[in-house]
Amino acid sequence: MSQSASVQRRAPRAPAAPTPLWVRVLAGVAAALVLLPLLGVVLRVEWNGFLERVTSEQAVTAMGLSLRTAAIATVLCLALGAPLGIVLHRMRWKGRSVARALVLAPLVLPPVVGGLALLYAFGRRGLIGGPLDSAGLTIAFSTVAVVLAQTFVAMPFTVLAVESALAARGERLEVIAGTLGAKASTTLWRVTLPSLKTALATGAVLAFARSLGEFGATLTFAGSLQGVTRTAPLEIYLAREGDPQTAVALGLVLLVIAVTVVVVAFRPLGRPR
Amino acid sequence: MTLSVTVGVESRRVNAQFTVPEGTTLALLGRNGSGKTTILETIAGLLAPDSGAVAHGDRTFIDVADGVFLRARDRHAALVSQADSLFPSMSVLDNVAFGARARGASRSDARATAQTWLGRVAAGDLASRRPGELSGGQARRVSIARALASSPTLVLLDEPFAGLDLESATAIRALLAETLRGITTVIATHAALDAHTLASHIAVLDGGRVAESGPVTRVLTKPHTAFAATMAGRVLLMGTPESQGIRLSTGELVPCETESVAAGATAAVALHPRDVALEPTGIADVVTALEPHGDLVRVHGARLAADVDPVAVPLPQPGDSVHFAVKLAGSAYSV
């Protein structure tokens, strides 16, 4: 269409709302609480030999595995967590709050317990793992198990993000779309999901970050096989004993990756919509 | 394909019943908060009522007793809502094209149709904008285009002229008068003018209930209830018919033609305040409010009202005792 070539108009920028001094003080304390340990890590890094440490075969393998599995887990968290958030929000029966609490359980469960739970479900003698194992499909202690563990602990972030965004905006527009003849799936793709862009981005970033740092559930459910299940956090944990400098160096690399992802992915969130 | 509506929504104190014959337009005339929006949103499928039934021809939209609730998509009822209801993630053009796209038209066909409709509501130049960049009146016009472009069998307009400037209101009124012909329509409005120009029938809504309904001319010129008379900008006087006029219960005689009043019936006459004056004698009343009306002042009493020229006559103040005199009463009718 000829109209689509027109200039992008943008709403005028509003000044920031004034912030009381005490809020700014508390914000400073909060920032210090987070930044001081990070600074501690950075200061401990021995730059002499840093490159060799983080490019050793073991390190590169672990880091690559971490990035791959965390990326797949993030996609799974979006593809499964968003539908779960939508269904949770639209549920009309009384069990909704219980259902929500159960779905969010991985947030409060110690990751090691989460790993055990996954083992009981998908392990060789687990609920589903047993039958799958007899069919020749073994999940536990494989790369699939790593992804499963990460998805398990990280999915609540996408579920929560989607559900709270829906709760905040209501679903009037969805019904309006219906009055115009739209099917449920048309409405979902063209009305609901575009309006959830911010929430989905937030959920994805949190899920990716959580997946990248996953340790306990992975160790319990997937083990620590180099190149198969030994992700960066596990590699760091192993190295911590004999070679703390490698541990610190790898930790810094993880930190840089996480910060980069958040900066890039959160960029659209700062702008007024 | 008559639209029959019975809606009860307790929390909003709505309990209304009316029907709209196929292809006609009904004006739901009422003040803010009288339940107009609740009723329209119930018909469209945005609200589930506590009680009642809504049906369009043989299609039942809602039947609370039978547990029937037809989803909005299958009602083919387009709502032009007063609240902001455009899709913020789409351009204005895609908003208007949405209905056609949803019912299977190709993207280019839907956009071409949408562009035509935008032109009809004088919003063709807004096509590439986002809803967030529109003024209230522009958004209303786009919303009207979107509803009409979805080829509905039922059109629900909630205060379609609110927030429009005089020029676009006039243009949209003409467009609606033309496009709604033959389509069953309900227009919620607080202005008798909208009923006059667009509707064939009126249901006057007072506190969630239909106070009075009937053909537009009848309800606006010969209202049976004081509320309907007020909405029509008139004052209703009722009494016993006599050969010289109507005898009020307080004893005064309002001179008027009473031939058409059936014997033994209550006679009524709907007066326009411009046909009433303040005189030293007449119908005694107490002033309740003064309201500017052009270059005249409308003096409201508890029973009557008069348009007074403030330059010629000293204005009474609220609380003052006055006498209203009827200059011209037309003919009385039975109620």
Side-chain angles (χ1 to χ4, degrees):
Chain A
M1 294 304 301
S2 55
Q3 277 77 9
S4 57
S6 88
V7 195
Q8 268 287 319
R9 270 164 276 254
R10 195 171 291 171
R13 186 194 288 265
T19 312
L21 181 63
W22 62 270
V23 171
R24 279 181 276 174
V25 169
L26 290 179
V29 173
L33 191 63
V34 175
L35 292 179
L36 284 178
L38 296 186
L39 186 67
V41 171
V42 174
L43 290 180
R44 275 299 172 88
V45 173
E46 196 165 312
W47 299 103
N48 212 347
F50 177 83
L51 214 61
E52 288 78 47
R53 287 192 195 92
V54 298
T55 53
S56 74
E57 194 208 326
Q58 279 199 345
V60 170
T61 309
M63 202 56 78
L65 183 68
S66 260
L67 288 175
R68 276 200 311 279
T69 51
I72 298 172
T74 305
V75 171
L76 283 176
C77 285
L78 282 176
L80 303 175
L84 185 52
I86 291 171
V87 169
L88 263 184
H89 171 70
R90 293 182 181 166
M91 266 168 56
R92 284 289 171 267
W93 52 285
K94 285 178 211 139
R96 185 162 93 160
S97 51
V98 176
R100 185 195 288 118
L102 286 176
V103 165
L104 301 183
L107 279 183
V108 288
L109 219 55
V112 177
V113 180
L116 280 175
L118 284 167
L119 215 46
Y120 296 147
F122 302 105
R124 286 197 151 179
R125 279 175 287 171
L127 274 175
I128 299 179
L132 282 180
D133 196 59
S134 0
L137 217 92
T138 311
I139 295 175
F141 305 106
S142 69
T143 307
V144 175
V146 176
V147 173
L148 222 57
Q150 292 174 347
T151 310
F152 178 78
V153 296
M155 197 151 66
F157 291 108
T158 52
V159 176
L160 260 190
V162 166
E163 203 202 348
S164 51
L166 285 177
R169 80 190 237 295
E171 295 204 283
R172 183 185 173 85
L173 286 181
E174 273 78 356
V175 191
I176 296 274
T179 66
L180 296 168
K183 279 184 271 194
S185 60
T186 309
T187 305
L188 181 75
W189 286 110
R190 298 202 57 206
V191 178
T192 310
L193 287 181
S195 77
L196 291 179
K197 248 189 270 174
T198 310
L200 289 171
T202 312
V205 166
L206 292 175
F208 182 78
R210 181 69 186 84
S211 298
L212 205 58
E214 216 306 302
F215 173 74
T218 311
L219 187 62
T220 318
F221 179 47
S224 180
L225 282 110
Q226 197 199 342
V228 181
T229 67
R230 190 182 298 160
T231 55
L234 296 176
E235 183 69 42
I236 292 171
Y237 182 71
L238 273 182
R240 188 189 56 111
E241 296 284 306
D243 185 5
Q245 268 314 311
T246 301
V248 171
L250 280 176
L252 187 67
V253 173
L254 263 190
L255 181 65
V256 169
I257 292 174
V259 168
T260 310
V261 165
V262 172
V263 166
V264 170
F266 264 92
R267 209 179 28 182
L269 307 191
R271 289 197 214 123
R273 283 192 296 161
Chain B
M1 289 283 278
T2 299
L3 173 72
S4 63
V5 178
T6 310
V7 174
V9 180
E10 279 168 36
S11 59
R12 302 194 189 169
R13 288 184 295 152
V14 168
N15 198 341
Q17 200 261 317
F18 58 85
T19 58
V20 190
E22 167 69 7
T24 67
T25 297
L26 175 91
L28 267 184
L29 190 61
R31 295 196 172 120
N32 288 341
S34 60
K36 300 181 301 246
T37 300
T38 300
I39 292 171
L40 290 193
E41 292 191 346
T42 304
I43 301 172
L46 273 71
L47 280 179
D50 299 319
S51 62
V54 177
H56 187 208
D58 54 3
R59 291 184 304 139
T60 303
F61 288 3
I62 299 166
D63 191 332
V64 175
D66 282 356
V68 179
F69 187 88
L70 191 68
R71 56 186 179 173
R73 174 173 185 246
D74 297 325
R75 299 188 185 191
H76 296 262
L79 171 72
V80 174
S81 163
Q82 231 186 322
D84 186 19
S85 67
L86 296 174
F87 305 125
S89 59
M90 290 174 217
S91 68
V92 161
L93 186 69
D94 284 338
N95 260 281
V96 180
F98 186 87
R101 284 272 280 147
R103 300 228 193 258
S106 75
R107 180 182 298 227
S108 56
D109 284 355
R111 283 188 169 171
T113 316
Q115 191 64 54
T116 311
W117 276 105
L118 279 176
R120 285 194 204 168
V121 298
D125 54 330
L126 304 177
S128 63
R129 294 224 200 151
R130 295 270 156 179
E133 301 161 349
L134 301 179
S135 73
Q138 290 171 333
R140 179 62 44 80
R141 281 184 279 153
V142 172
S143 185
I144 288 171
R146 184 179 67 175
L148 296 178
S150 71
S151 36
T153 57
L154 189 60
V155 175
L156 308 164
L157 302 164
D158 194 359
E159 294 280 6
F161 307 111
L164 291 186
D165 57 61
L166 195 60
E167 196 182 336
S168 19
T170 310
I172 297 290
R173 198 172 274 122
L175 172 78
L176 289 178
E178 180 198 322
T179 41
L180 295 179
R181 199 167 297 144
I183 300 180
T184 312
T185 305
V186 182
I187 298 182
T189 178
H190 65 278
L193 171 67
D194 297 339
H196 253 311
T197 49
L198 294 170
S200 57
H201 286 72
I202 287 186
V204 180
L205 215 53
D206 182 13
R209 288 167 189 277
V210 175
E212 186 171 348
S213 61
V216 169
T217 326
R218 205 285 289 153
V219 174
L220 291 183
T221 59
K222 296 179 176 177
H224 291 181
T225 58
F227 186 78
T230 308
M231 291 307 296
R234 288 162 187 262
V235 214
L236 191 68
L237 286 179
M238 290 200 273
T240 333
E242 290 180 7
S243 57
Q244 301 297 308
I246 299 177
R247 180 72 62 186
L248 305 181
S249 59
T250 44
E252 300 96 336
L253 185 78
V254 180
C256 62
E257 184 68 56
T258 52
E259 267 175 25
S260 58
V261 179
T266 303
V269 65
L271 301 170
H272 195 282
R274 72 170 167 255
D275 297 330
V276 181
L278 288 177
E279 300 284 349
T281 58
I283 301 168
D285 207 340
V286 175
V287 175
T288 56
L290 300 178
E291 177 195 7
H293 241 263
D295 52 357
L296 300 179
V297 173
R298 183 160 294 178
V299 178
H300 290 275
R303 304 164 65 192
L304 264 171
D307 284 351
V308 171
D309 184 350
V311 181
V313 178
L315 276 184
Q317 292 305 308
D320 287 357
S321 295
V322 289
H323 289 92
F324 288 110
V326 178
K327 295 187 283 185
L328 183 68
S331 24
Y333 50 91
S334 320
V335 292

